[in-house]
Amino acid sequence: MSPEIVILNGRLMTFDPERPTAQALAVSGGKIAAVGDTDEIRSLAGPGTRVIDAAGATVLPGFIDSHVHLFGGSVELACLDLYGVHGLEALTTTVRDWAAQNPDDKVVFAVQADYAIIAPGHHTTRQDLDKVLPDRPFAMFAADHHTIWANTAALELAGLLHGGTVDKGAEIVMAADGTATGELREAGAFAPVLELTRHGGRDLLGMVTGADPVPPATAAERALDKAALVRGLKHCASHGITSLHNMDGNFYTLELLTELEAEGDLLCRVEVPFHFKSFDSLDRFAEAEQMRATYKSDWVWCNRVKMFIDGVVESSTALMLEPYPGLDTVGDAVFEYDHFEAACVEADKMGLQISVHAIGDLGVRQTLDAYEAAQKANGRRDSRHRIEHIEVLHPDDLPRFNELGVVASIQPGHAPFGGIFPPDGAGQMLHPHQIPTAYAWQDIRASGAPVIFSTDWPVIPVDVMPNVKAAVAPITLPPPWRDQSQSLHDTLKSYTADNAWVEFNEARKGRLMPGMMADIVVMSHDLEAMAPTDLDKARALVTIAGGRVTHEA
């Protein structure tokens, strides 16, 4: 039988050590049937075979973004985006224009706000935002999704103007007069604001609580949520993405994705974790087992636990070994350490993979300590436990990744030298001696530890190639910052084969080899021939997932 699709005249980067390069491949029955030169593969084509001419461009395994918030990112495609907006005047004009076009929103909600959006060094307050939009509730999300700023009307509507009870690690920042300043740090503080948005906060519930909507979503709400997910999946496919590792989860998200799979609208494979929160007892891991047993298809599955141990550098909530410069805080611990360690031991005992958000040097150290404790308690196994972000790393902890077999999950575009965020943002919050091993991608890779790449969409766009450029051609910052640039091959492997490996699917996808899942992207350019600084100009022309064309430019 002739193949359904052949791709000819390409420059294939296969990540198959036996055949690292090729010109063409054939697809049959959702799998790669053959890899070879163009003449060989062309001869396999029949009258019904679709022929795709790569025209000398790079052909890769489909990109796997190993750290996203799919539901939230999908919803935010329809939100007011404040990236690049600075100054009170520009913010006011932008927000008022949007508010006028969206008169029915309970709260005018924006995303991608910079910490210094009003002015450098200025902490945004509710009074600032009252000037921006005085007559309606208005709130805006920081790009990192760890802080929301709200005006007085939004705080009143959410019941937060005079403070409230929050989870450990969260804070409603209060002024001397006993009212909220407008700054809400971490999900435990800003969840009531999210409940006022178009999707009622359901899009981020898998991060905020890890539980399902209460009361359950109505049929109309489910339809609204599924429509957003469809838009988001199409958006991901347009960037050559064929698989996603979600970083928040609940049964509701899994149900929606499973329905989309049955309806033919699931364009990317999605792994959804069980989200264990600091206020959960260990017996809640029964839900993780239920998730794993129920959801185990090639397109929607659960085999992982997600936790947060700290916040972020910019809001001084990342957990540090010493106080931040000029401050008397070392950050905010999300967990009591003993409870966190017990959770890691329990998850590891169950054979679950663990991924932990850890940004500060103490947060990273405590996560490594807990993983080491799990090994001592349960015995060493091929766990592939992950640490997400690793923005500030003490030199003593660098070799521990390789020693413990811990995976470094990194987002190149988040770094001050990634070219997306202001280069001076994080550096102001670090001591000079912390900087040489901050965002230490290449140092971690050189240590022998596994390194995988992702975006953390919607913290930055899910677009693959700007993130690839951030890794291969980072901007140069003066000492004590150090060059952490990556090779193109290492970067693309960390976005494909290595991300397949970290999800325990290295024998089934992530490489262009016969028998592998036909998850493939045909690029617009020969990436190896491009100047590194131009890599963000390349795009996906054709995306194929499971042998089905999911995107065509």
Side-chain angles (χ1 to χ4, degrees):
M1 183 179 289
S2 302
E4 291 129 34
I5 300 172
V6 294
I7 300 172
L8 309 177
N9 301 312
R11 294 184 60 85
L12 275 64
M13 297 179 68
T14 68
F15 301 107
D16 173 5
E18 301 298 318
R19 185 171 195 163
T21 61
Q23 296 177 327
L25 60 77
V27 173
S28 289
K31 294 187 177 181
I32 297 171
V35 176
D37 62 39
T38 290
D39 290 341
E40 174 189 355
I41 300 301
R42 182 186 283 118
S43 70
L44 302 176
T49 299
R50 170 157 186 193
V51 178
I52 297 173
D53 184 356
T58 298
V59 180
L60 292 160
F63 292 117
I64 302 172
D65 194 320
S66 56
H67 188 129
V68 300
H69 298 272
L70 171 61
F71 200 170
S74 299
V75 165
E76 289 187 18
L77 291 174
C79 287
L80 172 60
D81 188 339
L82 296 176
Y83 182 79
V85 175
H86 291 98
L88 189 62
E89 182 179 352
L91 179 61
T92 300
T93 300
T94 303
V95 170
R96 290 185 182 181
D97 285 349
W98 178 270
Q101 296 168 36
N102 296 275
D104 297 328
D105 287 352
K106 287 182 187 177
V107 59
V108 177
F109 192 67
V111 298
Q112 291 292 321
D114 190 83
Y115 276 86
I117 194 166
I118 302 296
H122 177 80
H123 291 276
T124 300
T125 66
R126 64 182 172 90
Q127 289 86 0
D128 294 324
L129 301 188
D130 289 345
K131 296 174 186 174
V132 171
L133 197 65
D135 56 345
R136 289 178 64 185
F138 168 60
M140 58 186 193
F141 231 152
D144 59 30
H145 289 66
H146 287 260
T147 299
I148 280 180
W149 297 273
N151 71 357
T152 302
L155 291 168
E156 286 180 324
L157 190 60
L160 299 174
L161 183 59
H162 299 286
T165 303
V166 299
D167 305 332
K168 183 174 173 57
E171 181 183 6
I172 301 169
V173 180
M174 302 299 290
D177 67 359
T179 62
T181 66
E183 182 175 350
L184 308 170
R185 298 179 177 178
E186 302 300 332
F190 56 63
V193 173
L194 295 178
E195 291 174 9
L196 302 171
T197 60
R198 291 176 186 173
H199 290 256
R202 294 183 303 280
D203 49 314
L204 290 174
L205 202 56
M207 179 179 76
V208 174
T209 68
D212 294 329
V214 178
T218 65
E221 288 169 342
R222 291 178 79 96
L224 182 72
D225 294 347
K226 283 170 66 175
L229 285 166
V230 168
R231 288 194 302 272
L233 290 161
K234 287 180 179 177
H235 182 67
C236 291
S238 76
H239 292 287
I241 294 167
T242 55
S243 292
L244 301 162
H245 300 171
N246 214 39
M247 283 292 145
D248 58 84
N250 52 17
F251 283 103
Y252 181 64
T253 302
L254 285 158
E255 289 169 8
L256 296 183
L257 293 172
T258 301
E259 289 175 18
L260 292 178
E261 179 184 3
E263 293 160 7
D265 290 326
L266 191 63
L267 302 186
C268 304
R269 308 176 194 273
V270 188
E271 185 218 19
V272 176
F274 166 75
H275 192 169
F276 188 80
K277 302 288 289 186
S278 61
F279 47 77
D280 290 331
S281 61
L282 294 184
D283 58 12
R284 189 167 172 249
F285 275 107
E287 290 183 34
E289 183 53 50
Q290 184 183 352
M291 278 187 179
R292 176 168 61 176
T294 305
Y295 299 97
K296 50 187 177 183
S297 80
D298 287 344
W299 289 87
V300 181
W301 74 103
C302 174
N303 190 44
R304 183 167 49 84
V305 174
K306 169 71 187 298
M307 291 183 277
F308 284 79
I309 200 165
D310 64 359
V312 292
V313 171
E314 289 80 0
S315 64
S316 67
T317 55
L319 205 50
M320 298 295 187
L321 289 163
E322 60 188 297
Y324 285 85
L327 301 176
D328 60 1
T329 180
V330 295
D332 296 326
V334 174
F335 276 83
E336 296 290 349
Y337 176 76
D338 288 347
H339 185 46
F340 173 72
E341 181 183 295
C344 288
V345 170
E346 181 65 19
D348 180 75
K349 181 181 177 182
M350 294 172 66
L352 290 162
Q353 187 182 37
I354 308 170
S355 55
V356 174
H357 165 115
I359 282 182
D361 48 16
L362 178 55
V364 173
R365 177 169 291 178
Q366 289 188 341
T367 307
L368 290 167
D369 288 348
Y371 287 171
E372 185 172 2
Q375 286 188 8
K376 289 177 179 176
N378 303 323
R380 185 156 183 156
R381 65 181 180 87
D382 183 16
S383 61
R384 306 184 195 183
H385 295 327
R386 308 165 43 154
I387 301 184
E388 312 298 316
H389 309 306
I390 320 161
E391 293 183 359
V392 187
L393 177 65
H394 191 281
D396 290 352
D397 293 314
L398 176 60
R400 298 180 68 198
F401 282 82
N402 186 38
E403 290 165 4
L404 295 170
V406 174
V407 181
S409 175
I410 289 169
Q411 301 70 42
H414 290 203
F417 40 79
I420 295 174
F421 291 128
D424 57 351
Q428 317 177 71
M429 303 297 291
L430 301 178
H431 296 281
H433 65 266
Q434 290 177 301
I435 289 177
T437 49
Y439 305 89
W441 320 325
Q442 187 56 34
D443 294 333
I444 296 171
R445 191 184 293 279
S447 76
V451 174
I452 58 174
F453 284 158
S454 57
T455 59
D456 197 7
W457 180 54
V459 171
I460 62 173
V462 80
D463 310 24
V464 172
M465 293 312 298
N467 205 32
V468 169
K469 176 186 172 181
V472 178
I475 63 176
T476 301
L477 295 181
W481 294 102
R482 296 174 52 248
D483 178 20
Q484 298 289 344
S485 58
Q486 307 282 289
S487 73
L488 178 63
H489 183 274
D490 282 350
T491 299
L492 295 174
K493 187 167 180 282
S494 286
Y495 237 124
T496 55
D498 292 338
N499 276 340
W501 170 84
V502 82
E503 63 172 66
F504 298 90
N505 260 326
E506 69 271 22
R508 306 178 68 221
K509 68 180 184 181
R511 291 175 287 168
L512 301 180
M513 295 172 56
M516 295 295 235
M517 294 178 183
D519 294 359
I520 303 158
V521 58
V522 180
M523 301 301 294
S524 59
H525 293 66
D526 175 358
L527 302 183
E528 294 173 290
M530 296 181 79
T533 52
D534 288 338
L535 283 166
D536 57 336
K537 297 176 182 175
R539 64 193 190 282
L541 289 184
V542 180
T543 307
I544 299 169
R548 169 189 175 193
V549 175
T550 55
H551 164 74
E552 291 182 80

